[in-house]
Amino acid sequence: MPKQCNGCRDGAAFELPFSMAFQPIVNITTGTIFAHEALVRGPNGEGAGSVLGQVKEGNQYAFDQQCRVKAIELASRLYDPNEDVKLSINFMPNAVYEPRACIRLTLATAIKTGFPLDRIIFEFTENEQLDTTHILNILRSYRDMGFKTAIDDFGAGHSGLGLLTHFQPDIVKLDMDMIRGIDTDPVRRTIVKHTLNMLEDLAITPLCEGVETAGELQALADLGVSLIQGYVLAKPSFESLAVPTKFGNIKAA
């Protein structure tokens, strides 16, 4: 168990009000929305930094729990119950002291709101040094409970490849730095191409995030990527579901 988790249940409450914006993840092969990612915002739509800057070791457990509740409550009001669109929720591994104990409020909120558990994706960013044993325990526990799992910002963190040797999540989100300018950068294109081949061999679904231009979108489609997230399709929408822009005749290979 990471040091940061010790006593986190007894830490400070997170008193700062906040809300969520939602950004769609689009399947460009089918032209449908695969999921929406819930992104932290201030109570009036302020940027995530205004909230995340107040998250400390003592209150991160409370913040992580409140994020899950807020995301599910808002999504349950916004989603069409007849559409199989998933909800992607970020979680903080160092705020999870024990997966099955920390999931109780999430389960209770989903049951209360009627939000289907099998439509929830839990994703984490490997942007800090993590205890591998701890994160693997979380991911395996979430999978056993029926949730989808995802690694965010793959290629920018500490241990992405190392984690894949022990656990294969449902989704890997390629970091935007790997995507930026891929239509004009043969080095990035080669790296992404081989990363996609590796993920296919491991039966992991790739998702490219941070896609900002039509050129990047076309290059990724040419490489066979279906799931896309980024400003080229839609910016996050505060307390509402953004409608993706049309993307012409672009089709995944």
Side-chain angles (χ1 to χ4, degrees):
M1 180 184 299
K3 180 180 179 181
Q4 292 92 327
C5 287
N6 292 339
C8 59
R9 285 174 295 174
D10 303 317
F14 191 79
E15 303 290 353
L16 188 70
F18 67 89
S19 192
M20 293 282 174
F22 294 89
Q23 186 176 31
I25 298 165
V26 179
N27 186 322
I28 63 171
T29 302
T30 62
T32 59
I33 295 176
F34 170 75
H36 292 275
E37 180 181 0
L39 300 162
V40 173
R41 294 292 185 267
N44 298 305
E46 300 89 343
S50 64
V51 179
L52 296 176
Q54 302 303 311
V55 180
K56 311 297 181 185
E57 181 178 329
N59 65 14
Q60 64 179 350
Y61 172 78
F63 174 70
D64 185 74
Q65 292 287 305
Q66 289 180 36
C67 282
R68 298 163 184 242
V69 170
K70 180 69 71 174
I72 293 172
E73 287 180 342
L74 281 172
S76 69
R77 296 200 296 267
L78 297 170
Y79 274 39
D80 183 339
N82 298 315
E83 295 180 357
D84 183 20
V85 178
K86 295 178 171 45
L87 171 66
S88 189
I89 301 174
N90 293 274
F91 74 93
M92 304 173 69
N94 285 333
V96 178
Y97 64 91
E98 201 289 316
R100 293 185 181 276
C102 292
I103 203 68
R104 290 172 185 164
L105 183 58
T106 304
L107 295 173
T109 304
I111 292 170
K112 178 182 177 181
T113 60
F115 196 88
L117 295 178
D118 61 2
R119 289 166 63 179
I120 295 176
I121 303 168
F122 279 113
E123 65 174 87
F124 79 98
T125 300
E126 38 143 5
N127 59 2
E128 59 179 315
Q129 195 66 47
L130 299 171
D131 182 317
T132 301
T133 301
H134 180 61
I135 187 62
L136 288 173
N137 182 40
I138 297 173
L139 294 173
R140 288 167 178 157
S141 296
Y142 284 178
R143 172 170 287 175
D144 289 345
M145 287 183 270
F147 298 111
K148 302 292 186 185
T149 58
I151 296 178
D152 194 11
D153 297 334
F154 185 79
H158 295 278
S159 57
L161 286 174
L163 279 174
L164 291 185
T165 64
H166 299 285
F167 180 86
Q168 294 75 53
D170 299 285
I171 298 168
V172 161
K173 301 178 73 172
L174 276 64
D175 182 65
M176 65 177 64
D177 188 57
M178 298 174 69
I179 306 306
R180 189 64 59 247
I182 190 173
D183 51 320
T184 59
D185 188 334
V187 173
R188 278 185 168 83
R189 192 156 53 248
T190 297
I191 291 172
V192 170
K193 176 183 177 181
H194 288 286
T195 301
L196 294 174
N197 289 338
M198 176 190 68
L199 295 176
E200 181 179 10
D201 288 344
L202 295 173
I204 298 172
T205 300
L207 191 166
C208 291
E209 61 181 347
V211 184
E212 294 188 348
T213 70
E216 292 168 356
L217 181 61
Q218 183 63 66
L220 294 169
D222 291 343
L223 289 172
V225 179
S226 291
L227 296 185
I228 300 290
Q229 181 179 4
Y231 283 9
V232 70
L233 297 177
K235 294 183 179 181
S237 184
F238 181 63
E239 294 186 344
S240 62
L241 302 181
V243 178
T245 59
K246 301 296 182 182
F247 41 93
N249 296 320
I250 292 176
K251 297 292 183 181

